[in-house]
Amino acid sequence: MVTVDSPTANENQMIKRLQALVSASITISSELDLDTVLQTIADTARNFAGAQYAALGIVGEDELIISFITSGISKTEREEIGEPPRGHGLLGVLIKQGQPLRVRNMSKDARRSGFPPNHPPMTSLLGVPVSINNKIVGDLYITDRINADEFTAEDEWWLTLFARQAAVAVQNARLYKKMKLARERAQTLAELAGALNEAIKPEELFDQITLAACRLLEVPAAALYLLDTNQTRFDLQAQTGLQSSINGELHTCLPLQGSLAGQVLVKATSINIENSAELSNVFFPPLQNNQIAASVLVSPIKHGGKVNGVIEVHSDQRRKFSPEEISLLEAFAGYAALALEKIQLHRQREDFLSMTAHDLRAPLTAIKMSAGLLAANLTDQLPPPLARLVSNIDRNSERLNNLLNDLLELTRLEQGRVQLKLAKLEIGEAVAATAHTLMPLFEEKNQKLSLEQPDAEGWVMADRRRLEQALVNILTNANKYTPSSGQIWVSTRIEENRVIVAVKDSGQGIPAEDQSRVFDRYYRRAIHEQSDEIAGSGLGLSITRHLVELHGGQLWVESEVGQGSTFLIQLPLNSAK
Ligand code: ADP
C-alpha cells in the first residue's frame, strides 16, 4: 500500500501561490485591456502575500500607456490622495536601483519622502521594479504584511515573478494597441484615397483629414491652413478641437512671422515641438479648454514643389511624436495636396468653360435668330430637304443656347453670384401655376398629371422666378424620363415649420447607387448618356439643388427601379403671413 503524506503548511502556501500565479497568467493571456490585466496582477500580488495594500505603476516609454493601479484601497480613498506617486523617496530608490526593496518600517527609513495628505498610514513595504528589455518601466509594491512585521525573502521572489507577468501584459497591450493603430491608419488612408477619387468636394476632404489626424494621432485638436494668394499669412481651412478666442471668434489665420507654419514654410519639412512652453515668441491657437497645446507637430502641404499649406496637430499633454506618427501626418498632408490639385484643376476647367460659353453666346444668338427667321418665313418656299435642314439648325441652336445658359447659370450659382429677390409667396399657388404652364409637355406624351393641393395656405420666402425654375427642372425631368401614357403626381404638404413639394413619376426609377450622383454637375445615368433619345446635359438637377439650397431648403430623391422616382423639395415655412 502506498501512503501519501499530506502537504505541509509550507507546501500548502506554495501551492496557493502557484495557483494565484497560474490564474493571473490565464487572465493575461485572455484579456487585452491593460488596466484589467494590471488590476488582476495587483489584486493577486496583494492576496498571495497577505498584504493590506498593493500598487502597480507603469510609465510608457513611448507615452502610449500610463497606468497606476491600486488594490486594497477604495475609490474615494484614492481620489482623496490625489495624483499617483511621482517616484520620489523609497519608490524613487526602487526605480533608481532597479533592485527589490524590502523595508520593515517605512516611517523609520531615512530615504523616505513621506506620504501625501490623506494617505493611509503604512508600515512594511516590499517593492520590485517592472522592466521590459532591461529597461525599468514601472514598479509593483505591496505594503503592510497582515499578521507579520515584514515581508520575507520568499515573498520577494514571488513578487518578482508577478512583476514579470505585469511586464508581459504591458508588452502585449502595447503590441495590440500598435497593431490596432496600424490597421486603423491603413484603413483611414484607404478611405481618404477613396474620398479623393469619388465625386466628394475636395474641401470636404480637409474636414475628414483633421478629424482622422485627431483620432489616429490621439490628440484633441488638428487644423489645416493654406497660404493666402498674396503669401502673407496662412488661412484656416478646416479644424477640429480648436477653441474660439476670448471674444468668441476662431483664430482663422496664422502669421508668417512667429508661427510654426511660417517656420515650416521656410524649412519645407515637418517640425515636432515637444514642449511649446519653450517657444515664448511663437503663436499657438488655443485648444477647446482655452489652454495652449503642450506639444505640436506641423507638416507641410507641398504642391508643385512649394509649401502652400500646413497641417498641425496639437496635444494637450507633453509628448514626442514618433517617426510613424510624423509619416502619418505627412501622408495626410499628401492627400491634402492632391485635393488642392483637384480643386485647382476643377477651377481652371470651370473658368475655361464659362469663358468659352460666354464667348459663344453672341455668335450663337445671331445663328439662332437667323435660323428662327428662316424657319418662320421661308420653310414653305424651300424644297423639303432644305426645309428640314433649316428646322434642324433652328432646333439645335436652341438646344445649344439652353446648354450655354445652364452652364453659365451653374457657374454663377457655384461662385455665389446669384442674388435672390425674396418675397412672400404662397407655395400651393406657385406649384399649381408652374405645373399648368407645362401642361402641353405632358399632353404631348399623353401623360396624366395629378395635382394634389395642400389643405391650408403655406407661405415661404422665395424668389418666384428662381423657385419656378427649380420646379420646372424637376417637372420636365419627370416628363422626359417617364414613358408616354405614364403618370406624374405633384403634391404639396404643409408641416409645422416646413413645406414639402413632391414630384412623383411612374418612370423607370433610379438605382440606389445613382441617387446621390444625379445631382452632380454633368452627371447623366449611363442609359441616358449612351442614347440620344432623351436630350440632356446633366446640369439641371445640379442647378436645381443650388437654387433650393439658396432658399434654405433641401432637394433629394426617393426611388426604386421599376417603381418610378419621387423628387422632393423641402423649404422652410415663413410663419408670418
Ligand atoms: P439632364 O436631364 O439634362 O440629363 P439632370 O441633371 O436634370 O440632367 O438629371 C441628371 C440625370 O438624372 C438624368 O440624365 C437622368 O439620368 C436622371 N434623372 C433625372 N430625373 C429623373 C427621373 N425623374 N427619372 C429617372 N431618371 C432621372
Side-chain angles (χ1 to χ4, degrees):
M1 201 172 132
V2 183
T3 54
V4 180
D5 291 340
S6 47
T8 61
N10 231 348
E11 283 167 341
N12 251 335
Q13 193 193 33
M14 175 85 126
I15 289 168
K16 264 168 72 190
R17 290 181 166 188
L18 260 176
Q19 278 170 342
L21 187 69
V22 168
S23 126
S25 307
I26 290 172
T27 312
I28 291 166
S29 53
S30 57
E31 175 66 57
L32 283 166
D33 175 56
L34 183 67
D35 282 356
T36 312
V37 171
L38 296 185
Q39 188 68 58
T40 312
I41 293 170
D43 291 342
T44 341
R46 177 168 71 91
N47 288 336
F48 93 87
Q52 192 82 39
Y53 306 107
L56 179 51
I58 301 294
V59 183
E61 32 143 32
D62 48 8
E63 307 234 349
L64 271 178
I65 296 158
I66 303 171
S67 292
F68 182 69
I69 305 285
T70 52
S71 177
I73 199 162
S74 75
K75 205 168 155 235
T76 10
E77 284 175 300
R78 261 291 291 277
E79 276 161 10
E80 276 170 11
I81 300 171
E83 292 280 293
R86 299 240 161 253
H88 301 311
L90 286 166
L91 293 179
V93 173
L94 170 62
I95 298 282
K96 247 173 261 136
Q97 293 182 343
Q99 295 291 332
L101 185 69
R102 231 168 345 126
V103 178
R104 188 187 166 96
N105 187 345
M106 285 189 261
S107 59
K108 295 210 173 113
D109 197 301
R111 297 167 296 179
R112 81 186 199 281
S113 67
F115 294 121
N118 298 324
H119 197 283
M122 290 180 182
T123 316
S124 55
L125 166 85
L126 167 59
V128 291
V130 175
S131 38
I132 296 177
N133 299 337
N134 294 328
K135 192 169 168 228
I136 296 173
V137 294
D139 51 25
L140 170 62
Y141 57 91
I142 49 182
T143 61
D144 288 3
R145 180 94 142 93
I146 300 167
N147 300 331
D149 288 344
E150 61 183 329
F151 294 98
T152 63
E154 201 199 325
D155 294 338
E156 185 181 309
W157 185 84
W158 280 97
L159 197 68
T160 308
L161 263 187
F162 278 99
R164 294 247 165 86
Q165 298 281 11
V168 172
V170 172
Q171 230 167 354
N172 274 350
R174 272 187 189 160
L175 283 174
Y176 178 69
K177 189 160 183 175
K178 274 189 179 157
M179 209 178 71
K180 225 172 91 188
L181 264 176
R183 202 186 57 204
E184 260 187 72
R185 283 172 187 172
Q187 205 174 339
T188 306
L189 288 177
E191 276 167 17
L192 284 179
L196 189 63
N197 258 330
E198 286 295 310
I200 165 175
K201 292 198 185 88
E203 291 92 335
E204 285 170 11
L205 196 83
F206 293 161
D207 288 328
Q208 287 192 21
I209 288 177
T210 56
L211 272 171
C214 280
R215 192 166 44 107
L216 295 182
L217 283 104
E218 302 183 303
V219 289
L224 194 150
Y225 297 86
L226 293 182
L227 204 54
D228 77 315
T229 35
N230 298 328
Q231 314 221 333
T232 52
R233 54 164 206 269
F234 282 96
D235 288 328
L236 183 69
Q237 306 294 317
Q239 63 89 19
T240 304
L242 286 188
Q243 169 65 309
S244 309
S245 69
I246 299 149
N247 59 17
E249 275 171 36
L250 199 70
H251 288 282
T252 51
C253 62
L254 291 177
L256 294 195
Q257 296 294 325
S259 75
L260 292 180
Q263 292 181 23
V264 167
L265 179 67
V266 178
K267 287 193 181 156
T269 54
S270 296
I271 292 186
N272 186 352
I273 303 296
E274 227 182 300
N275 183 7
S276 67
E278 285 170 2
L279 302 178
S280 54
N281 295 329
V282 171
F283 169 74
F284 293 97
L287 307 183
Q288 229 140 54
N289 51 10
N290 239 335
Q291 273 176 5
I292 296 301
S295 304
V296 182
L297 173 65
V298 188
S299 291
I301 297 173
K302 292 187 207 166
H303 186 223
K306 273 190 7 236
V307 177
N308 59 357
V310 295
I311 171 162
E312 304 192 342
V313 290
H314 301 249
S315 169
D316 50 354
Q317 319 217 330
R318 264 191 67 179
R319 63 184 272 193
K320 189 173 160 66
F321 291 95
S322 68
E324 297 93 67
E325 287 174 319
I326 299 175
S327 321
L328 183 67
L329 197 67
E330 286 172 352
F332 284 143
Y335 280 106
L338 284 173
L340 273 183
E341 199 162 302
K342 205 171 161 180
I343 294 172
Q344 213 174 53
L345 282 174
H346 179 80
R347 281 204 191 123
Q348 279 170 357
R349 194 184 63 170
E350 295 320 319
D351 285 353
F352 172 76
L353 268 176
S354 58
M355 246 166 54
T356 316
H358 203 264
D359 291 349
L360 284 176
R361 239 175 152 186
L364 183 66
T365 311
I367 296 174
K368 198 167 82 87
M369 265 176 57
S370 313
L373 283 171
L374 268 178
N377 301 315
L378 281 181
T379 315
D380 305 346
Q381 300 159 41
L382 290 173
L386 280 186
R388 270 202 301 279
L389 281 179
V390 170
S391 117
N392 229 345
I393 297 173
D394 187 29
R395 258 187 304 111
N396 282 299
S397 54
E398 177 70 32
R399 243 174 103 175
L400 197 53
N401 192 48
N402 290 343
L403 176 64
L404 289 186
N405 284 342
D406 279 356
L407 205 56
L408 289 169
E409 170 83 341
L410 186 55
T411 311
R412 273 198 302 270
L413 280 162
E414 282 184 340
Q415 293 173 350
R417 290 196 282 124
V418 172
Q419 291 280 323
L420 294 184
K421 294 193 183 84
L422 292 176
K424 264 190 291 181
L425 175 147
E426 207 281 301
I427 189 73
E429 182 272 321
V431 172
T434 315
H436 281 121
T437 57
L438 296 175
M439 271 326 270
L441 279 184
F442 297 108
E443 280 161 9
E444 204 177 308
K445 281 184 86 175
N446 195 25
Q447 290 166 335
K448 189 167 168 237
L449 179 81
S450 312
L451 185 65
E452 193 189 314
Q453 287 286 64
D455 305 332
E457 287 185 341
W459 294 86
V460 294
M461 286 303 284
D463 181 326
R464 185 162 188 128
R465 190 173 71 82
R466 298 295 194 181
L467 187 62
E468 282 184 356
Q469 187 186 350
L471 287 165
V472 165
N473 281 346
I474 301 286
L475 284 161
T476 42
N477 273 354
N479 164 257
K480 281 196 311 190
Y481 299 106
T482 303
S484 297
S485 307
Q487 188 158 2
I488 286 102
W489 297 263
V490 180
S491 66
T492 307
R493 212 170 61 227
I494 313 286
E495 294 183 354
E496 200 181 335
N497 49 13
R498 60 180 193 164
V499 50
I500 295 180
V501 182
V503 177
K504 182 171 165 16
D505 64 51
S506 65
Q508 66 232 149
I510 303 171
E513 65 273 17
D514 269 354
Q515 285 176 16
S516 61
R517 307 185 71 185
V518 292
F519 299 101
D520 290 347
R521 193 182 240 259
Y522 307 123
Y523 191 79
R524 304 201 73 207
R525 289 181 46 223
I527 46 162
H528 300 132
E529 182 65 23
Q530 283 151 16
S531 109
D532 252 356
E533 218 173 288
I534 308 175
S537 60
L539 295 174
L541 286 177
S542 195
I543 293 176
T544 312
R545 181 170 263 182
H546 275 289
L547 287 173
V548 173
E549 287 175 356
L550 213 54
H551 280 87
Q554 275 173 2
L555 168 68
W556 71 102
V557 64
E558 290 167 6
S559 180
E560 225 175 281
V561 175
Q563 304 289 317
S565 317
T566 310
F567 282 84
L568 300 112
I569 296 179
Q570 179 198 298
L571 294 171
L573 208 54
N574 189 269
S575 47
K577 256 198 201 177

